[in-house]
Amino acid sequence: MIVSVHIADVGPLQAQRLLFRRPKVAEIPGMISAEPAITAPLGTGVPRPALGRIGLIVAWDDDGALDRFLDLHSYGRKLADGWYVRLQPLRCFGSWSALPGLPTKELPIDDDEPVVALTLGRLRFLRVRSFLSSAAPAERDAVTDPAVVASIGFARPLLPRLVSTFSIWRSAAAMRAYAFDSAGSHQAAVRADRATPFHHESAFVRFRPYASEGQWDGRDPLATI
């Protein structure tokens, strides 16, 4: 299994259409799951959606399935002017039913290799305020970390609800230092979640980015590493 993450500026009307008309997984060869979402910058406190920008998180059988989707499927072609990255799953903390088979033991990666961190959650309605309060310091510390090359938030208010963060790190070592600092804001959020879970299900997944294409805010962030 591989995962792709797509970010495209398509305009408010098209973004709304793509959000409501999510890909029909059963009808797209090689697609395992698809999570369309609105996007918002991280670290700004209360999320402020970018109404014309769509995000898509997809799991695939292989690269060939992704290629066919981008070349032949109408949904994939609408993302053509954006940016996307191909990801190899390395480690999953928690579980995500839409992504079966994620590795629970870390696959080998060098400390100086770039990594992508993806958080996924099905937020409980009654825990929204507590979640935002706990997540804000962790997001702020992540986006200001010099090792973070790019970051964005994904959300979908429709059922099944989704809240997600996506970040590209210059090195696996830097990402681990942030994630596992016992005195840091990220671990504080983890402890709050363990005490009273924010989500019906959640996962923190680490990936190796192995190919990217297009532009996100005028650049390919992985090309700068």
Side-chain angles (χ1 to χ4, degrees):
M1 180 183 69
I2 67 164
V3 171
S4 63
V5 174
H6 307 253
I7 299 167
D9 294 313
V10 296
L13 183 58
Q14 186 70 270
Q16 185 178 28
R17 288 172 176 168
L18 293 174
L19 180 65
F20 281 90
R21 299 175 185 175
R22 57 189 303 176
K24 297 179 180 179
V25 173
E27 299 177 5
I28 301 176
M31 180 180 281
I32 298 170
S33 68
E35 301 275 8
I38 57 177
T39 70
L42 296 177
T44 59
V46 178
R48 297 181 179 178
L51 298 180
R53 175 172 284 182
I54 190 75
L56 182 66
I57 305 167
V58 198
W60 304 95
D61 286 338
D62 51 36
D63 285 291
L66 170 55
D67 291 335
R68 290 188 294 272
F69 173 74
L70 293 173
D71 291 340
L72 303 175
H73 197 277
S74 60
Y75 201 111
R77 291 197 298 270
K78 288 181 173 65
L79 305 175
D81 291 335
W83 176 87
Y84 76 94
V85 61
R86 300 173 189 243
L87 303 168
Q88 176 197 9
L90 295 174
R91 175 72 189 273
C92 176
F93 298 87
S95 63
W96 196 250
S97 58
L99 297 177
L102 289 171
T104 56
K105 293 185 178 180
E106 186 167 16
L107 300 180
I109 186 168
D110 293 337
D111 283 348
D112 59 355
E113 283 189 65
V115 293
V116 161
L118 182 68
T119 68
L120 299 159
R122 305 284 190 207
L123 185 58
R124 297 176 187 270
F125 181 75
L126 295 179
R127 295 286 285 153
V128 170
R129 181 176 295 181
S130 296
F131 168 75
L132 292 175
S133 177
S134 293
E139 291 180 5
R140 188 166 52 249
D141 288 347
V143 299
T144 58
D145 192 305
V148 172
V149 179
S151 64
I152 198 168
F154 298 125
R156 188 177 62 248
L158 312 172
L159 293 175
R161 283 187 292 269
L162 172 73
V163 290
S164 173
T165 64
F166 172 86
S167 54
I168 301 173
W169 295 75
R170 294 187 183 278
S171 71
M175 190 278 299
R176 290 192 200 100
Y178 162 80
F180 299 112
D181 179 3
S182 60
S185 56
H186 180 264
Q187 280 298 309
V190 170
R191 290 190 292 271
D193 178 58
R194 287 174 178 168
T196 308
F198 298 127
H199 307 286
H200 295 286
E201 66 172 339
S202 62
F204 177 95
V205 194
R206 187 181 309 155
F207 297 91
R208 172 184 283 116
Y210 63 91
S212 59
E213 189 171 324
Q215 292 194 341
W216 169 8
D217 289 336
R219 67 188 181 116
D220 178 353
L222 280 163
T224 67
I225 301 178

